[in-house]
């Protein structure tokens, strides 16, 4: 039997440094300055992350805000540019308008139709500020307004082109377009600016049949005169253009010019209210139809709900069996064939 060697008898831990005891004061500790630096670096990283998140949230909010008007308009939540609510107008014992409700949306063509004496002229003159309504409310962009004069309507952005066009035949196109609003430079008329702006406005409306903007209005055709009157309204930054029988007494070619002009107004985002007896023109350019009869709005709705015969029925009798009942809508959107009389 042999004795164990010294190496065999040595404990397994012999010759090793003892593991530091966490509770012993001799333990190696991290420098406080180093710890503070690490914590500061972590805090800076967290702050940077929060800043990035805030920037992303801001971008999303900005995008949502930019899309909100479009979404509202698409959903029909945006108020119409012009709204008439229960509008009435009396001339002594004669009730020209009774409880008229009508919406005129922006960027659409609304056709106002009715027989002679239905109240169309009274209605557009009330909107134009020539007459003040005796009852009801006029709302502009959702806010009630009171129109005491044509200047009040013009200041809002309402321009009316009457059947006689109110043009001066002895003046040229430029002078007619700036009549009463001539720009002045160094105490004289700024002819250069007026001519340049007139040319640009006519070009934007694709009016190409006029030889020169210095041509006398008295030498123009009916369609060209109508184009000048509409261009004058656009030049004055009108947001609603009212056209009173714009194609009356015009030939086929001139009528086509005026109808194209109405479409361009709509494409530019301008609200258009057209008064017309010509149902072919109404069906060619209108987005919506409003039918007046004896001073009452008997029907308002999209053009797709109407055909020529149904419009005639509504104009003459106030009802039409050719139309199905329309779904309920805002107060101004009355089902076809319904009466506004209460």
């Amino acid at each position: 039997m042999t004795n164990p060697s010294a190496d065999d008898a040595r404990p397994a831990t012999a010759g090793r440094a003892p593991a530091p005891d966490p509770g012993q004061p001799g333990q190696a500790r991290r420098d406080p300055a180093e710890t503070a630096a690490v914590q500061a670096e972590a805090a800076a990283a967290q702050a940077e992350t929060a800043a990035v998140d805030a920037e992303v949230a801001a971008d999303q909010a900005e995008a949502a805000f930019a899309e909100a008007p479009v979404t509202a308009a698409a959903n029909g939540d945006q108020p119409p540019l012009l709204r008439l609510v229960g509008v009435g107008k009396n001339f002594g014992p004669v009730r020209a308008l009774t409880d008229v409700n009508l919406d005129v949306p922006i960027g659409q063509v609304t056709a106002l139709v009715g027989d002679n004496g239905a109240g169309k002229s009274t209605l557009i003159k009330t909107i134009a500020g020539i007459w003040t309504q005796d009852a009801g409310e006029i709302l502009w962009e959702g806010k009630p307004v009171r129109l005491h004069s044509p200047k009040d309507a013009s200041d809002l952005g309402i321009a009316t082109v009457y059947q006689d066009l109110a043009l001066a035949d002895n003046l040229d196109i430029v002078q007619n377009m700036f009549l009463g609003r001539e720009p002045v430079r160094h105490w004289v008329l700024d002819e250069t600016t007026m001519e340049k702006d007139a040319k640009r406005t006519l070009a934007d409306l694709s009016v190409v049949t006029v030889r020169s903007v210095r041509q006398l209005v008295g030498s123009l055709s009916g369609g060209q005169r109508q184009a000048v009157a509409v261009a004058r309204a656009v030049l004055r930054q009108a947001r609603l253009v009212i056209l009173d029988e714009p194609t009356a007494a015009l030939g086929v070619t001139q009528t086509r010019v005026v109808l194209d002009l109405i479409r361009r107004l709509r494409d530019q985002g301008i609200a258009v209210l057209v008064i017309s007896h010509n149902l072919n023109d109404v069906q060619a350019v209108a987005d919506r139809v409003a039918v007046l009869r004896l001073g009452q709005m008997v029907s308002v709705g999209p053009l797709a709900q109407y055909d020529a015969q149904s419009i005639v029925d509504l104009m003459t009798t106030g009802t039409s069996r050719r139309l199905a009942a329309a779904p309920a809508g805002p107060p101004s959107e009355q089902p076809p064939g319904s009466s506004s009389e209460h």
Side-chain angles (χ1 to χ4, degrees), residues 87-91 94-98 122 126 131-135:
V87 169
K89 179 63 183 176
N90 302 329
F91 295 98
V94 179
R95 302 183 68 180
L97 298 174
T98 304
T122 302
T126 301
W131 292 324
T132 302
Q133 77 271 19
D134 297 318

Side-chain angles (χ1 to χ4, degrees), residues 2-55:
T2 58
N3 292 327
S5 64
D7 292 339
D8 294 336
R10 182 179 299 175
T13 57
R16 298 182 185 176
D21 185 357
Q24 297 298 324
Q27 170 193 359
R29 296 179 180 176
R30 177 176 291 178
D31 186 7
E34 182 181 356
T35 301
V38 171
Q39 292 175 346
E41 184 178 355
Q46 292 175 350
E48 184 177 357
T49 302
V52 172
D53 293 342
E55 185 176 356

Side-chain angles (χ1 to χ4, degrees), residues 70-90:
V70 177
T71 304
N75 295 335
D77 295 333
Q78 189 177 26
L81 182 65
L82 176 71
R83 168 170 284 178
L84 309 182
V85 181
V87 169
K89 179 63 183 176
N90 302 329

Side-chain angles (χ1 to χ4, degrees), residues 312-328:
V312 172
D313 292 343
L314 292 166
M315 289 169 55
T316 54
T317 67
T319 60
S320 177
R321 295 182 178 179
R322 298 174 62 88
L323 301 176

Side-chain angles (χ1 to χ4, degrees), residues 3-4 13 57 68 166 173 193-194 240 256 272:
N3 292 327
T13 57
I173 294 175
T193 298
M194 289 194 296
L240 167 62
R256 186 183 303 114
V272 184

Side-chain angles (χ1 to χ4, degrees), residues 172 174-175 183 188-196 214:
D172 62 33
V174 174
Q175 292 167 333
V188 296
L189 293 181
D190 191 351
E191 297 283 353
T192 302
T193 298
M194 289 194 296
E195 185 168 327
K196 180 179 65 177
R214 288 302 180 180

Side-chain angles (χ1 to χ4, degrees), residues 154-165:
S154 178
D155 290 342
L156 288 177
I158 301 174
T160 305
V161 180
Y162 295 100
Q163 193 168 350
D164 60 7
L165 302 181

